[in-house]
Amino acid sequence: GAGVSQTPSNKVTEKGKYVELRCDPISGHTALYWYRQSLGQGPEFLIYFQGTGAADDSGLPNDRFFAVRPEGSVSTLKIQRTERGDSAVYLCASNLMENTGELFFGEGSRLTVL
Amino acid sequence: SQKIEQNSEALNIQEGKTATLTCNYTNYSPAYLQWYRQDPGRGPVFLLLIRENEKEKRKERLKVTFDTTLKQSLFHITASQPADSATYLCAYMNTGFQKLVFGTGTRLLVSP
């Protein structure tokens, strides 16, 4: 596709459940980012991939959060034992590292933990 | 640590006026600053980038300035239109060029 695609667009789950959020970046973009955005706040950095490896995962809040990008394209953000505080919009972005860092964002996955 | 601050209060202006949004940073000057627009329920969309050694950058009705003395970037929309109503986010790339750090954003409302 032409842009960054994220699925699902909405996910409602119960506390304690496991959730996977998927991101399909723009074709050819080597860098992929996950951000989390709460209401009234700016996007908060979670993790950055360069190719298949996580170059910076310093934003992951705890070990319940994990992300993979096994083939250097699609990425999955995994959240174990979800808590109500995990409710937010999870944004994915990609870019070409040759440029100055302009990020192309998807529309986000809205996660609600009941 | 570096912090980036935007006015959390919404800015209300009348159509046709110039909107000016402020982004302040606390410590070192970032290599460059970026501005994004975000509409409700949508992902941010890149608008403009300005480098540390650039004073001003323009794109159509948009203008961004970068004042390293004041540690501030200003974002201007001239001849504002109701369609400009959105949240505008300021962001800087950290020194390792590995992550973009965002401010909280400022909501702009342009009334007809």
Side-chain angles (χ1 to χ4, degrees), chain B residues 1 45 62 85 92 100:
Chain B
S1 61
V45 175
L62 308 180
S85 298
Y92 75 92
L100 205 55

Short mmCIF file of all heavy atoms in Angstrom, two decimals, chain B residues 1 45 62 85 92 100:
data_model
loop_
_atom_site.label_atom_id
_atom_site.label_comp_id
_atom_site.label_asym_id
_atom_site.label_seq_id
_atom_site.Cartn_x
_atom_site.Cartn_y
_atom_site.Cartn_z
N SER B 1 17.53 16.12 31.59
CA SER B 1 17.33 15.62 30.24
C SER B 1 16.57 16.65 29.41
O SER B 1 15.89 17.52 29.96
CB SER B 1 16.57 14.31 30.26
OG SER B 1 15.31 14.48 30.83
N VAL B 45 0.86 14.01 10.78
CA VAL B 45 1.34 14.19 9.41
C VAL B 45 2.43 15.26 9.41
O VAL B 45 2.23 16.35 9.95
CB VAL B 45 0.19 14.61 8.47
CG1 VAL B 45 0.72 14.92 7.08
CG2 VAL B 45 -0.87 13.52 8.41
N LEU B 62 2.69 28.31 5.61
CA LEU B 62 3.35 27.93 6.85
C LEU B 62 4.74 28.55 6.94
O LEU B 62 5.44 28.66 5.93
CB LEU B 62 3.47 26.41 6.94
CG LEU B 62 2.21 25.59 6.72
CD1 LEU B 62 2.52 24.11 6.86
CD2 LEU B 62 1.12 26.01 7.69
N SER B 85 -7.79 23.96 11.57
CA SER B 85 -8.07 23.53 12.94
C SER B 85 -7.58 22.09 13.13
O SER B 85 -7.98 21.18 12.40
CB SER B 85 -9.57 23.61 13.23
OG SER B 85 -10.03 24.94 13.12
N TYR B 92 11.66 16.88 18.27
CA TYR B 92 13.07 16.95 17.94
C TYR B 92 13.63 15.54 17.85
O TYR B 92 13.15 14.61 18.50
CB TYR B 92 13.84 17.77 18.98
CG TYR B 92 14.09 17.08 20.30
CD1 TYR B 92 15.25 16.34 20.53
CD2 TYR B 92 13.16 17.17 21.33
CE1 TYR B 92 15.47 15.70 21.74
CE2 TYR B 92 13.37 16.54 22.54
CZ TYR B 92 14.52 15.81 22.74
OH TYR B 92 14.72 15.18 23.94
N LEU B 100 12.35 10.26 17.54
CA LEU B 100 11.76 11.58 17.52
C LEU B 100 10.98 11.76 18.82
O LEU B 100 10.16 10.91 19.18
CB LEU B 100 10.82 11.69 16.32
CG LEU B 100 10.53 13.05 15.72
CD1 LEU B 100 11.79 13.78 15.33
CD2 LEU B 100 9.61 12.90 14.52
#
